[in-house]
Amino acid sequence: MFDLEKEIIDWLRTLRTNSGFEDGDIIEIEDHIRHSIKQKLDSGFSDQKAFEDAIISFGSLDQTGAEMVKSRTVNLNAPKGDLLAHNYNNSTSILTGITIMFSNYLKIAARNIRKQKLFSFINILSLSLGLAACMMIFVFIAEEQSFDSFHLNSANIYRLNEVQSFPGTNTQNVALSMPGMGPNLLADFPEVENFTRYWGRDNVLFEYQDKALIIEQSPFVDSTFLAIFDYRLALGDRATALNELNSMLLTEETAAKFFSSNSEALGEQITIGDNLYRITGILANIPENTHLQFDALRSMTTITRENPEFNNRWWNYMVTYLELVPGSNLENMAEKYPDFLLKFMPPTEGQIGDINDNYKLYLQPLKEVHLASNNVEHDYHNYRKFNGQYITVFIMVGIFILLIATVNFMNLTNSRAIYRRREVGIRKAIGALKAQLFSQFVVETTMMSIVSFLLAVAIAALFLPVLSNLINRPISFDYFLSSPIILVVAFLISLGLGLLSGIYPALIMSSFKIIASLKGKGVSGGKASFQRVMVVVQFGLAIAMIISTLVVIQQLFYMKNKDVGYSKDQMMLVPMNDTANEQFQNLKEELKKNSNILGVTASKQRLGNNFHQGGFKVRTDTAILDLIPSFVIVDYDYLDVYEIDLVSGRSFTEDIITDNGMAFIINEAFAKEIGIAEPVGTTAGHGWYDEDSLGSIIGVTKDFNFNSLHYRVNALFMAVHPDWGYDELSVKINAANVPQAIADVEKIWSELVPDRPFDYTFLDAHFEELYRSEDQMGKVITLIAVLAILIACMGLFGLAAIAMEQKVKEIGIRKVLGASVMQLVIQLSTGFALLVLVGFIIFSPLTSYLLSLWLENFAFHISLSIWIFIAGGVVALLIALTTIGFHTFKSARSNPVDTLRYE
Amino acid sequence: MASKGLMAASTKPLILSILKGGKNYGYYITQKVKEISGGSLEWSDGMLYPVLHRLEKEGFIASEWIMTTTGRRRKYYSITELGKEELLAEKENWLNVHSVFAQLWNLKPTA
């Protein structure tokens, strides 16, 4: 049966593939041909005859198309007369010719994109998701790397660190230095141009008139601080602001807590303890991207004017920054450090070895403080410290994503080429050059990549706030707007990507053989195997990401839930001042009366970091061992409240008088270090105790992770010295009644410690801080893995659609011969499943290697289990099969009558 | 059947002459050409369109889209002032040529 309407539409479709006809022409010609047919029908022709006659009298499409092109290149200056003749003789018309050719490419490209909606949608969306992910990763990295770059002289600023290797302790890098180091390095080293010390002061009470507030960070710094660092000053003279004793600078935020304006604050005096500090300037608020975060700065002169000997103190408790003469040789300096240390800390009588056995100095470039301090302990002033290795991970992940998206793009474009072989054949037949076909296809892919780029910008703008929220980082799209060059680069990258990923398919298509392509025959097997390789790469990468995500999440879960050897939940920490220490016993008794409070204890240091190290003497059968393990001063019931288990011996008790200062509890690591089988009862004491008046070891605890899980458990001893005072009160509260418990603690605190506003944190919050780097990486990796698999699936979805269409006949025949739907689905899926499997096999070893490298960052880590890999592979396979399932089921269920009829 | 060259040369005055009778659309123009030439000047229909477009570009005719009763858009062409002048010039040329051949072949003068 002749379907007139279908024939007309088919004929118009052929018209569309001819680049000579523009959209308007096609409408005009459709009108013509319908008119013509109608006329013939009216005079009694059959549908078929009318159609055929109309087509014949319309004439050759190619010829008309060619004339159409010429008519658009009319040269108005050409001699009149021969209308059909055209003139390419002068350069302007060649130029017009090229412009027209190009705009024609664009038109055809737009038409093709519109015509193949699903394919174009998948292609554009997957590329833009990939690009958007890369942009977001880029903003994240850029923000991390911007740390401390606003200091103009940052290239010459260094932080003075030490490598400490004490007997009985793990060797450690520390961000600590001694008060005497700065001034004496300046005096002895010509390379040192300037120094500033930074002596952190946490949670200090500031009082002004009737206002009393705890200010988080108000360090003492040298007067040179503002000469070395470029923190902006809103008010005051940066050259002199910190010169005088009792001078202080407030940030605008801090000032606003006490004063109604900056200028009002200037010259006012704030009481801290027994001192009055004069406000000599107002600092602009400290930017987010700097490792030093403070609310006020106090002049170091306040200390050194009254105690000049401070500048010659040689023990560690502050951070020192040096500004070097540009071009200084760090290695030369390093050679001189041993003599320097020896000069100021000569060996004491009878000392074996010297200071250089325990200390090495090294300079850490300012730019590395934020991203390369992961191996640095006692690093108390390093805001948002981040593991720089993760930056590399992110870059790799970004490249992966881009790779997956690019592969998709190429693969889909490529597969789609099959559908256009007839078009290519016709074009070639009417004389298109290979180069022209090539540029036509490249223009098409480039156009898609540009659209993808625009979409990517929109996606990034939309999702950056979400991401910023998720990982708790102030990253925003503003970054792009403030440096549009980045956008330009991103655009060029996507343009290049479009070109590149268009080139291969373009080459393939433009090299189709005319006859074969007109006959609708497929192309050589080379292309299909390329496609398969690409699917393998894509799924290999996606599987790698899934496995990595699983491992990272598992490790994070492990770290958060590992039994660290003490109870860290519902442990409330309250900083203590002098009054709190004086009132400690009352405070403790009152708190313990409350039913919401399960235990109260105190210590000089908080769990979660490495503790300070101190000298310790142990008497063995043969000699006295001098060791420098970690130590912490605790209250009598510390072990009970924190539920730390003893392996042997007993805990501290108030009932035994010598437990005050003469009893020591060590951990298993320490016991192993001193090599005494039964350490309980061994004579021991602080390093500065006289050998004749040592106390004894009364107990050994199980090793508990007082430091973060990145580190092995160091040797540790604990002692009780009630008269030394504690820094922090630990209150274990009832989980069922947290708000009430907090209110109760506050009430009791305010009664007994009226001079210090109540302030608290929870220990588990502190732990979250410790693993923030990992946590953020985990979230980003998860997000990216989801994206990767999503993009890979979009590609697979497209490929499956194409593969199924190609197999329409095969499926029909199989059905006719009796294949069941299930058999067909399995048959159709096997090929894809194999590709995913190959991807899994190829990429698993690499993934396993990279992951084990990562896990080495943690002294305590999970072991890589084969099951995680299998799980990753199975997940990917299931997702892949589900994705193609839509197509396989559809094809398998299709009626063979329909599929076979089309021949 | 006229030679290709002659046909090409004659399309312009032909189209302009038809359009001088009022604005019209492509299919009508092809039919008109066939009608008046009695088939002796038959082009393939399609070839009309490039010529129309070219004439439009040169400013001799103008076009507009008009919605037909069937809901399809149809492109109508009409002659411009410039086109009318051009037609006069063409007419003169062709008449000149005509009179030359008329003399040569001893035809009776037309006027």
Side-chain angles (χ1 to χ4, degrees):
Chain A
M1 183 58 201
F2 185 82
D3 184 344
L4 180 60
E5 193 57 31
K6 183 175 175 298
E7 291 298 327
I8 294 176
I9 288 168
D10 279 354
W11 185 76
L12 288 170
R13 210 167 264 161
T14 334
L15 205 61
R16 278 184 181 275
T17 61
N18 188 318
S19 59
F21 301 104
E22 295 184 335
D23 289 353
D25 301 339
I26 292 168
I27 297 173
E28 191 175 22
I29 289 167
E30 181 180 358
D31 180 50
H32 177 107
I33 213 77
R34 284 183 186 280
H35 211 126
S36 177
I37 291 168
K38 185 168 181 298
Q39 203 98 63
K40 292 175 173 51
L41 288 174
D42 288 350
S43 47
F45 284 29
S46 74
D47 281 5
Q48 186 163 0
K49 177 82 172 116
F51 175 75
E52 282 167 3
D53 275 13
I55 297 306
I56 289 165
S57 64
F58 188 84
S60 153
L61 282 185
D62 289 346
Q63 210 178 341
T64 312
E67 287 301 326
M68 280 291 191
V69 174
K70 286 179 198 166
S71 78
R72 268 175 248 130
T73 57
V74 165
N75 183 350
L76 293 176
N77 300 323
K80 293 177 180 172
D82 185 356
L83 264 173
L84 295 182
H86 55 90
N87 191 335
Y88 278 132
N89 287 342
N90 62 46
S91 57
T92 44
S93 70
I94 290 175
L95 210 65
T96 348
I98 290 171
T99 328
I100 283 170
M101 184 177 76
F102 194 74
S103 72
N104 180 48
Y105 287 165
L106 284 178
K107 255 176 219 162
I108 298 278
R111 195 181 289 160
N112 272 320
I113 290 172
R114 259 183 284 137
K115 212 162 74 184
Q116 309 177 330
K117 283 196 185 68
L118 179 70
F119 158 73
S120 311
F121 172 77
I122 291 178
N123 215 351
I124 288 173
L125 187 65
S126 63
L127 186 58
S128 42
L129 279 178
L131 284 172
C134 284
M135 284 183 198
M136 292 197 258
I137 290 174
F138 181 85
V139 181
F140 180 90
I141 294 174
E143 207 265 342
E144 284 296 333
Q145 290 189 328
S146 73
F147 259 68
D148 289 309
S149 56
F150 63 89
H151 304 297
L152 291 178
N153 205 10
S154 62
N156 296 313
I157 303 173
Y158 295 84
R159 182 166 76 169
L160 182 63
N161 289 353
E162 295 172 357
V163 183
Q164 300 180 340
S165 31
F166 300 134
T169 283
N170 305 332
T171 297
Q172 57 181 0
N173 297 350
V174 299
L176 289 175
S177 45
M178 309 179 185
M181 285 178 174
N184 288 298
L185 281 170
L186 178 67
D188 290 7
F189 284 70
E191 294 95 335
V192 179
E193 189 150 292
N194 216 342
F195 77 92
T196 183
R197 291 167 292 188
Y198 184 98
W199 188 12
R201 276 291 194 262
D202 300 346
N203 301 318
V204 171
L205 187 68
F206 280 37
E207 289 169 285
Y208 176 75
Q209 292 173 358
D210 55 344
K211 285 186 188 136
L213 294 168
I214 289 173
I215 300 302
E216 224 171 288
Q217 191 53 244
S218 56
F220 287 101
V221 296
D222 282 295
S223 61
T224 48
F225 186 81
L226 290 177
I228 294 174
F229 294 114
D230 292 314
Y231 296 104
R232 228 161 42 75
L233 211 55
L235 215 57
D237 176 11
R238 65 190 305 131
T240 59
L242 289 166
N243 282 359
E244 289 305 311
L245 79 164
N246 295 331
S247 297
M248 179 159 74
L249 300 174
L250 300 183
T251 61
E252 285 184 298
E253 208 182 314
T254 314
K257 290 178 180 167
F258 295 95
F259 307 97
S260 58
S261 73
N262 288 349
S263 47
E264 191 193 304
L266 203 65
E268 290 300 306
Q269 287 187 313
I270 283 189
T271 311
I272 300 175
D274 302 330
N275 280 339
L276 275 177
Y277 285 85
R278 182 174 299 282
I279 299 167
T280 52
I282 305 293
L283 288 154
N285 286 331
I286 307 308
E288 172 80 12
N289 57 349
T290 174
H291 79 285
L292 289 175
Q293 295 284 334
F294 44 84
D295 308 292
L297 293 174
R298 293 190 263 170
S299 67
M300 189 67 85
T301 325
T302 313
I303 296 163
T304 51
R305 180 102 19 117
E306 281 177 14
N307 306 295
E309 55 79 34
F310 184 81
N311 286 336
N312 266 308
R313 259 187 220 173
W314 296 93
W315 58 88
N316 285 310
Y317 48 84
M318 49 173 44
V319 192
T320 306
Y321 297 90
L322 300 181
E323 184 184 340
L324 300 188
V325 175
S328 298
N329 186 332
L330 296 191
E331 281 167 29
N332 285 349
M333 291 178 72
E335 281 170 22
K336 294 187 280 180
Y337 293 143
D339 290 337
F340 172 81
L341 291 177
L342 215 55
K343 175 177 165 190
F344 292 99
M345 289 175 279
T348 51
E349 236 180 70
Q351 184 182 338
I352 306 159
D354 62 45
I355 183 80
N356 289 304
D357 295 340
N358 305 131
Y359 290 95
K360 273 193 185 62
L361 297 183
Y362 74 98
L363 294 181
Q364 184 182 32
L366 181 64
K367 289 216 140 193
E368 289 178 10
V369 170
H370 174 62
L371 287 175
S373 292
N374 250 64
N375 57 347
V376 178
E377 294 190 66
H378 296 293
D379 195 2
Y380 306 112
H381 304 291
N382 198 344
Y383 176 65
R384 263 180 57 187
K385 165 152 111 170
F386 195 73
N387 186 344
Q389 288 171 326
Y390 293 165
I391 299 278
T392 325
V393 173
F394 286 142
I395 292 175
M396 262 172 62
V397 161
I399 293 173
F400 276 12
I401 281 277
L402 208 52
L403 208 62
I404 293 178
T406 315
V407 165
N408 245 6
F409 196 75
M410 290 174 75
N411 245 354
L412 286 173
T413 315
N414 231 336
S415 320
R416 218 49 217 183
I418 297 161
Y419 285 82
R420 300 181 61 182
R421 57 192 174 213
R422 232 180 268 262
E423 174 193 340
V424 172
I426 290 171
R427 279 165 184 269
K428 283 200 154 179
I430 61 171
L433 298 174
K434 209 170 167 177
Q436 286 172 328
L437 283 171
F438 179 81
S439 20
Q440 164 71 48
F441 290 121
V442 170
V443 164
E444 257 184 63
T445 52
T446 310
M447 210 160 123
M448 278 204 246
S449 73
I450 292 173
V451 174
S452 305
F453 167 77
L454 295 176
L455 194 60
V457 172
I459 294 175
L462 208 64
F463 281 94
L464 269 176
V466 181
L467 182 71
S468 159
N469 218 354
L470 183 69
I471 62 173
N472 196 15
R473 289 269 156 131
I475 52 174
S476 86
F477 198 70
D478 297 349
Y479 186 84
F480 280 128
L481 300 180
S482 60
S483 47
I485 185 78
I486 304 303
L487 273 185
V488 174
V489 170
F491 178 72
L492 289 179
I493 288 178
S494 31
L495 200 64
L497 213 61
L499 280 173
L500 267 178
S501 48
I503 282 175
Y504 181 78
L507 274 176
I508 296 281
M509 285 194 266
S510 55
S511 64
F512 284 168
K513 297 269 179 305
I514 300 180
I515 304 291
S517 54
L518 277 176
K519 280 186 179 160
K521 282 193 183 138
V523 267
S524 59
K527 198 188 62 60
S529 64
F530 175 79
Q531 253 179 41
R532 282 193 212 111
V533 169
M534 293 286 111
V535 171
V536 166
V537 170
Q538 253 185 337
F539 267 83
L541 288 174
I543 290 170
M545 309 275 296
I546 293 176
I547 294 171
S548 309
T549 307
L550 293 177
V551 168
V552 171
I553 290 173
Q554 209 190 357
Q555 171 69 14
L556 283 172
F557 182 83
Y558 169 79
M559 288 199 292
K560 282 179 184 164
N561 297 286
K562 179 188 183 295
D563 180 12
V564 285
Y566 52 88
S567 136
K568 64 182 184 204
D569 299 326
Q570 277 79 47
M571 193 64 81
M572 191 174 161
L573 305 171
V574 187
M576 293 168 75
N577 68 347
D578 291 346
T579 318
N581 271 301
E582 282 161 25
Q583 293 289 330
F584 180 58
Q585 286 311 324
N586 290 336
L587 206 53
K588 196 165 169 177
E589 271 163 39
E590 286 301 313
L591 287 170
K592 279 168 98 170
K593 281 182 201 160
N594 192 305
S595 62
N596 285 326
I597 292 164
L598 310 176
V600 182
T601 190
S603 66
K604 272 203 85 77
Q605 288 175 78
R606 185 185 291 180
L607 285 160
N609 300 308
N610 197 354
F611 290 134
H612 292 305
Q613 278 93 48
F616 195 70
K617 279 187 184 131
V618 180
R619 186 192 296 278
T620 65
D621 296 340
T622 50
I624 287 199
L625 291 178
D626 270 308
L627 302 162
I628 307 184
S630 299
F631 78 101
V632 59
I633 302 303
V634 297
D635 189 20
Y636 288 104
D637 53 1
Y638 191 81
L639 296 186
D640 304 332
V641 175
Y642 273 99
E643 296 165 29
I644 297 170
D645 294 334
L646 283 166
V647 188
S648 61
R650 62 174 178 86
S651 184
F652 297 113
T653 166
E654 276 177 90
D655 302 336
I656 299 173
I657 281 181
T658 51
D659 273 10
N660 178 350
M662 300 301 275
F664 302 91
I665 293 178
I666 62 172
N667 66 357
E668 282 179 297
F670 196 7
K672 207 177 285 170
E673 183 75 37
I674 53 179
I676 299 175
E678 186 39 71
V680 174
T682 307
T683 308
H686 287 290
W688 41 272
Y689 277 13
D690 203 65
E691 275 178 34
D692 305 326
S693 51
L694 294 174
S696 60
I697 294 172
I698 60 163
V700 181
T701 69
K702 267 193 192 162
D703 279 345
F704 57 96
N705 297 92
F706 58 88
N707 201 352
S708 94
L709 294 173
H710 293 100
Y711 301 101
R712 288 191 288 132
V713 177
N714 198 9
L716 171 80
F717 75 89
M718 291 182 272
V720 180
H721 290 278
D723 45 325
W724 288 11
Y726 300 111
D727 280 5
E728 215 163 51
L729 188 70
S730 305
V731 184
K732 171 103 180 159
I733 59 176
N734 185 350
N737 229 337
V738 176
Q740 186 56 45
I742 295 174
D744 291 347
V745 177
E746 175 164 15
K747 187 164 169 288
I748 295 164
W749 177 275
S750 324
E751 274 166 24
L752 291 172
V753 194
D755 64 337
R756 166 100 194 179
F758 178 67
D759 186 27
Y760 70 93
T761 61
F762 277 98
L763 188 58
D764 41 11
H766 174 64
F767 272 81
E768 266 167 36
E769 192 67 18
L770 285 183
Y771 303 127
R772 185 154 70 166
S773 236
E774 281 76 24
D775 200 46
Q776 289 178 344
M777 193 193 70
K779 282 177 178 160
V780 173
I781 294 278
T782 310
L783 210 75
I784 298 289
V786 170
L787 262 184
I789 195 86
L790 192 71
I791 297 175
C793 281
M794 287 169 91
L796 196 62
F797 188 81
L799 283 183
I802 292 161
M804 293 310 134
E805 272 180 64
Q806 284 174 315
K807 287 188 176 170
V808 155
K809 255 191 285 179
E810 179 193 324
I811 294 167
I813 292 168
R814 281 178 190 277
K815 279 199 105 165
V816 168
L817 293 178
S820 75
V821 171
M822 213 46 226
Q823 277 172 325
L824 279 171
V825 168
I826 292 169
Q827 151 90 20
L828 293 172
S829 309
T830 315
F832 284 107
L834 273 177
L835 294 185
V836 174
L837 196 68
V838 172
F840 171 74
I841 290 169
I842 294 178
F843 280 83
S844 287
L846 184 70
T847 314
S848 147
Y849 172 71
L850 291 175
L851 284 174
S852 53
L853 275 189
W854 178 69
L855 285 175
E856 276 169 25
N857 279 319
F858 304 92
F860 295 86
H861 60 76
I862 55 164
S863 52
L864 282 178
S865 114
I866 184 99
W867 292 108
I868 289 199
F869 283 79
I870 292 176
V874 168
V875 166
L877 190 63
L878 284 180
I879 295 177
L881 289 180
T882 317
T883 309
I884 58 174
F886 173 78
H887 295 296
T888 47
F889 268 100
K890 204 174 93 184
S891 322
R893 284 174 47 205
S894 60
N895 187 346
V897 173
D898 297 328
T899 50
L900 290 175
R901 194 183 55 175
Y902 93 116
E903 264 296 273
Chain B
M1 183 107 158
S3 77
K4 202 176 171 187
L6 185 61
M7 266 180 54
S10 62
T11 36
K12 179 155 81 172
L14 207 53
I15 291 169
L16 290 178
S17 303
I18 293 170
L19 287 178
K20 191 148 182 279
K23 76 173 164 192
N24 232 312
Y25 55 95
Y27 181 74
Y28 174 86
I29 298 169
T30 53
Q31 295 315 102
K32 195 77 187 166
V33 171
K34 284 179 194 168
E35 191 187 308
I36 49 185
S37 66
S40 68
L41 271 182
E42 192 154 344
W43 327 311
S44 59
D45 295 359
M47 294 308 273
L48 172 77
Y49 292 95
V51 183
L52 282 171
H53 292 178
R54 181 163 181 165
L55 285 174
E56 185 181 2
K57 206 148 199 175
E58 286 175 319
F60 300 136
I61 60 174
S63 71
E64 61 186 316
W65 287 99
I66 287 172
M67 196 61 87
T68 65
T69 45
T70 58
R72 288 186 196 287
R73 286 189 296 160
R74 175 170 291 164
K75 202 175 189 180
Y76 276 83
Y77 298 88
S78 53
I79 190 162
T80 62
E81 284 310 310
L82 189 68
K84 287 177 187 162
E85 279 174 35
E86 184 72 8
L87 181 57
L88 278 178
E90 284 276 331
K91 201 168 172 182
E92 206 153 299
N93 286 343
W94 281 98
L95 287 177
N96 285 340
V97 172
H98 176 77
S99 66
V100 167
F101 286 122
Q103 274 182 27
L104 197 61
W105 295 327
N106 292 323
L107 294 172
K108 285 185 181 158
T110 45

